[in-house]
Amino acid sequence: MSRLQALAVSVNRLEKRYGDLAALAGVSLEVEPGTLFGLLGQNGAGKTTLIKILLGLVAPTAGEASLLGEPVGRLAGRREVGYLPEDHKLPEYHTAPSLLHFYGALQGLTRRERLARIPFLLELLGLKGREKLRIRGYSKGMKQRLGLAQSLLHRPRVLFLDEPTDGIDPVGRKQIRDVLLEQQRTGVTVFINSHLLGEVEQLCDRVAIMRRGHLLVSGTVAELTPTKPTWLVGFETPPAGGLRWEGCQLEAAERPGLWRVHLDASAPDSLDRFLAQVHRAGLRLRHLEAERATLEDLYLTLATSDRQAP
Amino acid sequence: MNSHRTLLESNGTAPSSVLSDPPHPRLFRAFGAMLLDAWREFLDAKILFLLLGLIGLLLAVALTGRVEPLPSGKNYLDLSARAMAANLDGVDLARETVADMAGRLNGSVVWIAKAEPLGADLPDGAWSVELKRSFVPVAAGPLPPEDVRRKFGRIADGQLWNVRNVAETSDTLGRNLGMQSFQLTVDPGPDLRLLWPHQFSLFGDAFDLTPPRGAPLGLEVLILQKLLTTGLGGSLLLLMAVVVTAAFVPNMIRKGTLELLLVRPLPRWLLLVMKYVGGLLFVAVLLGLLVAAAWLISGILANIWSPGILLALPSLMLFFALLLAVSMCVGVITRSAVAAMLVTVTYWAVLFIAGQMHNQVVESRFREENVGKLRPTSVVDSLRGAKPRREEPLKAGRVPFHRTLVGRVTEWVYAVLPHTEDVDTLVDRQLMRDLAVSGPFRALVERAEFSWSRGVGLTLLHTLGFLLLACMVFSRRDP
């Protein structure tokens, strides 16, 4: 397998212990190149430790980890990765361009490369026009966007982002999501740590959930959030009292004005029969939605259970 | 490969040469970036402007000073005549002073009978002198005029006068009876101006800093230069530099900042070493400004441009290299700027106290070895009219310091500590030679032993040790 076709991230029975505490208790994981991968978990689940091991910042206690087919921790491998740490503190005496020049030069970029790349990134992340402002005067969102800019500076093939949209307003989030999708489109593997479930669900193709150092589940968002045999319906004039029809039952849903109906998933025409009954009852439908399990459902179930990794 | 290429092209810039670069330009680039970063951080601490302001103020105050020669030609002609009573041939002028001449008396007495300035009584004026010499015919013979030309004006501190012409005016009878007289015209010698008493005042004449009879110009310049550089001025600047740079490492290894550095393709120890060199260079610039200011000030005030004081820069830098290594080491271990600052200043204080105590040991030993011998005197002493004094024995029952337990422990401790003041001694020696300063200070400085291995080697060894420890801790710890 050539280097470029190798897995972006491959982790095999990885362990990290701090004394008696197991930050990672045997995690195995594979991420294909070009994936937008979301790692979910509560604070202290081991997400950041996993990223730090992949970046070669922390040495594992046991197990193997490789990045783009090479064992982690090699200096040359760091030219291929970009990293945005959680709660990063950018040196406040810099301006955005000077900071990017600093990191870019450490990364090995020539001045010419930096001069071409930096204005592009500042524009991309909406920091243009603030070139003279010291980072001291930046808002949290601006710092976050500048942090993202430094991770993209050297055109990495794998991006590790620890809580990238933390503290950013909705417009900024959309902007960052677009940037990440564009990165993915150009073949970059994006590895996101987050506890913002909706965000991850919206953005990522593949998701894994960690808890207390264990990887609980991993798969595509569709795999992890199967459709349910329930539909949400809304009527122009709500039916008086509960309705009970052949093969189905309506009950009030959590969202106001909507009803949940359980249909027999094994019968292919169950929805048609339900609609025919609505029509017969003289009701007019204005909302119909198939219910899916959300990542939140799955996450809450896993987070509160005592289930361990298989 | 396709995906990677698309990314490069999509941003509209030339393909990256990162992968094909040889390592050295990359290291230089990274080093340049670290220097620039350290410079920004240094500028950000507003203390830099305070320092520059202080140097400027110092310069301004010094430039209000006045250095005026006092009439003193007769004194210095007298001194030259008296020195002819001793045989100065083969004397090491760097180590021996007027007082040491006691054993070299040549059986004659020489004095000035009459002296008239040809111009003003100033260090650049010539004199017409009538010289008398009386000698014991059995012990010493008559002195030919050529010897007078060679000897007159030479004192242990330097060459006061050059004899332009000399003629013997005594007759044969006088010579046979042990009396000679000469008529001389003398010009100022190379060291006359340095040894000539000057009045030094600040703010015009408002603030007189010298005793009524003045002090030799060389000594005044020496004190001024030392005060500004290796003395108070340098110490203050170093202290401020310690305060500013103490935050360097704790800021760098803050959680959230450190990761952004460690993720770069550079070994960790190199990041730390580059930061160290960066801090060192910027303090070198500041110290360089201070030393240059001291040199300029003494040059402008006294028109003495001898470059010896520039040696203070490497001396101060060597010391700061040690302090910065200590500060970085503590910073890496504790992650606290305050701790780094406090430990560094404490370490400095320990070195200072150990140095002072060691000086006492050396003094005590010297005193014991030289009881009854004359103490060195200088032009300053003779200006004051002081008689040479002898080393006195300790009061009965008192143990010399170097024989006490504390004295011995001091020596052991001192033997392993960095000897930063040894390098200062080297600077002092150079300055005193350049500025023709003699007497007890000079004797102290010349007496002190200096070896490169102890003076510089031990300091460098400590510096390297602290750096190495810092790098080891830094490389091994998880961020």
Side-chain angles (χ1 to χ4, degrees):
Chain A
M1 188 183 269
S2 89
R3 201 159 145 253
L4 287 161
Q5 290 160 337
L7 288 168
V9 171
S10 167
V11 166
N12 190 17
R13 276 179 268 167
L14 201 61
E15 285 181 34
K16 177 68 188 179
R17 290 183 183 284
Y18 295 102
D20 286 342
L21 181 85
L24 292 179
V27 171
S28 297
L29 180 71
E30 288 186 348
V31 179
E32 298 277 343
T35 311
L36 244 162
F37 185 87
L39 186 59
L40 292 166
Q42 286 172 294
N43 297 332
K47 306 186 302 276
T48 300
T49 305
L50 178 59
I51 282 197
K52 283 186 176 172
I53 289 177
L54 287 170
L55 287 165
L57 300 183
V58 170
T61 313
E64 291 159 10
S66 66
L67 204 66
L68 297 164
E70 300 277 345
V72 296
R74 297 198 177 167
L75 289 185
R78 296 194 186 158
R79 287 192 199 107
E80 314 275 8
V81 295
Y83 177 41
L84 173 68
E86 183 186 14
D87 290 332
H88 55 76
K89 291 184 188 68
L90 305 168
E92 298 202 314
Y93 46 86
H94 274 285
T95 61
S98 76
L99 183 77
L100 293 179
H101 271 288
F102 172 48
Y103 286 146
L106 290 187
Q107 199 69 47
L109 300 185
T110 62
R111 187 169 166 73
R112 233 179 90 207
E113 288 166 330
R114 282 178 270 144
L115 284 175
R117 184 81 172 144
I118 290 170
F120 168 80
L121 285 173
L122 291 180
E123 168 119 51
L124 182 72
L125 287 154
L127 292 168
K128 210 180 159 200
R130 307 289 185 91
E131 284 87 349
K132 298 224 164 116
L133 184 65
R134 296 263 167 113
I135 294 169
R136 186 171 289 126
Y138 271 31
S139 68
K140 174 122 201 248
M142 286 167 75
K143 285 180 190 167
Q144 196 72 6
R145 278 180 279 163
L146 182 56
L148 188 61
Q150 67 77 27
S151 73
L152 296 172
L153 198 53
H154 50 292
R155 302 185 183 85
R157 290 165 61 201
V158 184
L159 257 182
F160 288 98
L161 308 174
D162 212 338
E163 309 289 357
T165 53
D166 223 13
I168 297 202
D169 60 49
V171 178
R173 281 186 195 187
K174 170 80 169 67
Q175 218 173 10
I176 288 183
R177 276 204 303 272
D178 290 345
V179 170
L180 296 184
L181 286 170
E182 171 63 19
Q183 290 297 314
Q184 186 201 19
R185 199 184 63 73
T186 54
V188 177
T189 310
V190 185
F191 193 113
I192 298 176
N193 267 4
S194 184
H195 52 245
L196 298 174
L197 301 164
E199 191 99 346
V200 169
E201 191 169 357
Q202 209 173 351
L203 192 63
C204 297
D205 334 303
R206 291 188 74 85
V207 173
I209 298 180
M210 284 189 73
R211 181 163 175 266
R212 290 188 196 157
H214 293 277
L215 195 74
L216 301 184
V217 291
S218 159
T220 64
V221 174
E223 281 165 11
L224 296 179
T225 59
T227 48
K228 294 180 184 172
T230 53
W231 293 76
L232 288 180
V233 290
F235 303 101
E236 202 165 78
T237 320
L243 282 181
R244 193 186 171 82
W245 288 315
E246 177 201 333
C248 61
Q249 186 181 353
L250 259 96
E251 61 193 42
E254 300 81 15
R255 283 155 68 184
L258 291 188
W259 303 75
R260 177 173 289 115
V261 58
H262 294 258
L263 296 177
D264 181 5
S266 61
D269 62 342
S270 58
L271 182 62
D272 295 323
R273 282 180 11 230
F274 169 71
L275 290 176
Q277 287 186 28
V278 169
H279 189 67
R280 277 201 297 278
L283 295 168
R284 293 176 94 169
L285 213 57
R286 71 166 165 76
H287 186 104
L288 180 67
E289 175 192 344
E291 272 201 302
R292 279 190 95 88
T294 59
L295 269 183
E296 191 175 46
D297 297 332
L298 177 70
Y299 182 77
L300 289 177
T301 317
L302 292 174
T304 49
S305 77
D306 281 327
R307 183 178 155 190
Q308 297 288 304
Chain B
M1 190 67 218
N2 275 347
S3 56
H4 196 44
R5 188 174 295 151
T6 320
L7 173 64
L8 295 177
E9 284 163 359
S10 73
N11 295 333
T13 50
S16 160
S17 64
V18 171
L19 296 172
S20 56
D21 252 7
H24 295 300
R26 228 171 15 231
L27 276 187
F28 281 126
R29 207 172 296 140
F31 184 53
M34 284 301 272
L35 280 190
L36 210 60
D37 177 63
W39 178 235
R40 280 178 188 279
E41 188 166 7
F42 210 77
L43 280 184
D44 193 55
K46 298 290 184 284
I47 207 157
L48 177 72
F49 300 105
L50 186 76
L51 284 179
L52 288 177
L54 270 178
I55 291 178
L57 189 71
L58 218 59
L59 205 64
V61 168
L63 293 182
T64 68
R66 263 156 58 103
V67 179
E68 301 271 330
L70 297 169
S72 211
K74 278 192 177 153
N75 261 334
Y76 279 53
L77 289 167
D78 250 357
L79 209 60
S80 303
R82 273 192 276 144
M84 286 182 75
N87 179 14
L88 286 173
D89 289 338
V91 172
D92 178 2
L93 291 180
R95 286 183 178 272
E96 296 180 58
T97 57
V98 176
D100 299 320
M101 299 300 118
R104 294 175 170 273
L105 292 176
N106 55 18
S108 68
V109 182
V110 185
W111 71 96
I112 304 286
K114 200 176 161 194
E116 291 291 338
L118 298 180
D121 185 2
L122 289 174
D124 54 359
W127 287 71
S128 166
V129 178
E130 197 187 324
L131 193 72
K132 296 271 186 196
R133 178 171 186 266
S134 157
F135 59 94
V136 184
V138 192
L143 200 65
E146 271 321 296
D147 279 10
V148 173
R149 183 195 289 278
R150 190 167 55 81
K151 283 186 168 184
F152 185 81
R154 220 175 130 210
I155 64 166
D157 307 79
Q159 183 79 31
L160 289 179
W161 305 100
N162 290 331
V163 178
R164 193 193 299 167
N165 48 52
V166 53
E168 182 165 3
T169 49
S170 46
D171 50 20
T172 319
L173 179 64
R175 256 207 316 267
N176 288 341
L177 291 174
M179 278 297 295
Q180 276 186 295
S181 56
F182 301 90
Q183 187 63 43
L184 291 81
T185 312
V186 296
D187 291 317
D191 297 320
L192 182 66
R193 196 162 163 268
L194 289 172
L195 293 167
W196 192 280
H198 283 66
Q199 192 179 28
F200 181 35
S201 55
L202 279 182
F203 308 115
D205 287 334
F207 194 32
D208 200 351
L209 296 173
T210 39
R213 291 190 191 188
L217 184 61
L219 181 66
E220 287 176 7
V221 169
L222 173 88
I223 292 174
L224 180 71
Q225 289 187 338
K226 269 189 67 70
L227 196 70
L228 290 178
T229 57
T230 51
L232 191 67
S235 301
L236 274 180
L237 203 144
L238 282 183
L239 189 68
M240 289 196 195
V242 165
V243 170
V244 175
T245 52
F248 266 33
V249 163
N251 276 350
M252 181 172 113
I253 64 175
R254 247 184 338 178
K255 191 177 164 0
T257 306
L258 178 62
E259 290 92 330
L260 288 168
L261 283 177
L262 295 188
V263 79
R264 312 297 161 192
L266 295 163
R268 287 189 194 183
W269 63 267
L270 192 62
L271 288 170
L272 201 66
V273 169
M274 289 197 290
K275 193 85 181 175
Y276 175 77
V277 176
L280 215 55
L281 279 181
F282 295 121
V283 173
V285 170
L286 277 183
L287 288 172
L289 281 176
L290 183 79
V291 170
W295 182 67
L296 263 180
I297 288 171
S298 48
I300 292 169
L301 277 180
N303 197 22
I304 288 178
W305 299 95
S306 83
I309 190 59
L310 301 182
L311 279 179
L313 181 60
S315 166
L316 286 166
M317 276 314 293
L318 182 71
F319 187 42
F320 184 71
L322 174 65
L323 292 182
L324 188 60
V326 174
S327 164
M328 283 208 151
C329 188
V330 179
V332 165
I333 292 169
T334 64
R335 295 172 180 245
S336 153
V338 176
M341 202 171 2
L342 286 180
V343 173
T344 308
V345 172
T346 308
Y347 181 78
W348 183 351
V350 167
L351 288 189
F352 179 75
I353 291 168
Q356 292 297 313
M357 288 178 72
H358 183 253
N359 277 349
Q360 294 304 311
V361 170
V362 172
E363 272 297 301
S364 160
R365 185 171 294 134
F366 180 81
R367 216 177 298 140
E368 193 183 62
E369 285 164 3
N370 291 280
V371 168
K373 290 187 188 164
L374 278 175
R375 280 186 181 176
T377 52
S378 65
V379 172
V380 190
D381 298 322
S382 60
L383 275 177
R384 278 206 313 256
K387 290 263 182 310
R389 288 193 304 153
R390 291 174 189 281
E391 288 292 350
E392 287 166 17
L394 277 181
K395 280 178 194 153
R398 278 204 71 179
V399 184
F401 182 57
H402 68 281
R403 293 191 186 283
T404 61
L405 182 65
V406 179
R408 284 186 188 150
V409 172
T410 300
E411 276 202 293
W412 295 332
V413 172
Y414 186 76
V416 294
L417 284 181
H419 295 189
T420 49
E421 70 274 27
D422 279 15
V423 186
D424 269 1
T425 303
L426 209 61
V427 179
D428 290 350
R429 252 182 227 180
Q430 185 62 44
L431 283 180
M432 288 185 178
R433 284 171 196 176
D434 284 358
L435 300 172
V437 172
S438 59
F441 296 139
R442 174 73 172 271
L444 196 72
V445 164
E446 297 287 354
R447 197 159 68 223
E449 281 174 36
F450 175 83
S451 75
W452 287 98
S453 62
R454 260 188 9 178
V456 179
L458 210 54
T459 308
L460 285 180
L461 206 67
H462 273 248
T463 307
L464 281 179
F466 282 112
L467 262 187
L468 205 65
L469 182 63
C471 286
M472 271 165 54
V473 173
F474 187 59
S475 295
R476 288 185 183 178
R477 196 159 53 192
D478 288 341

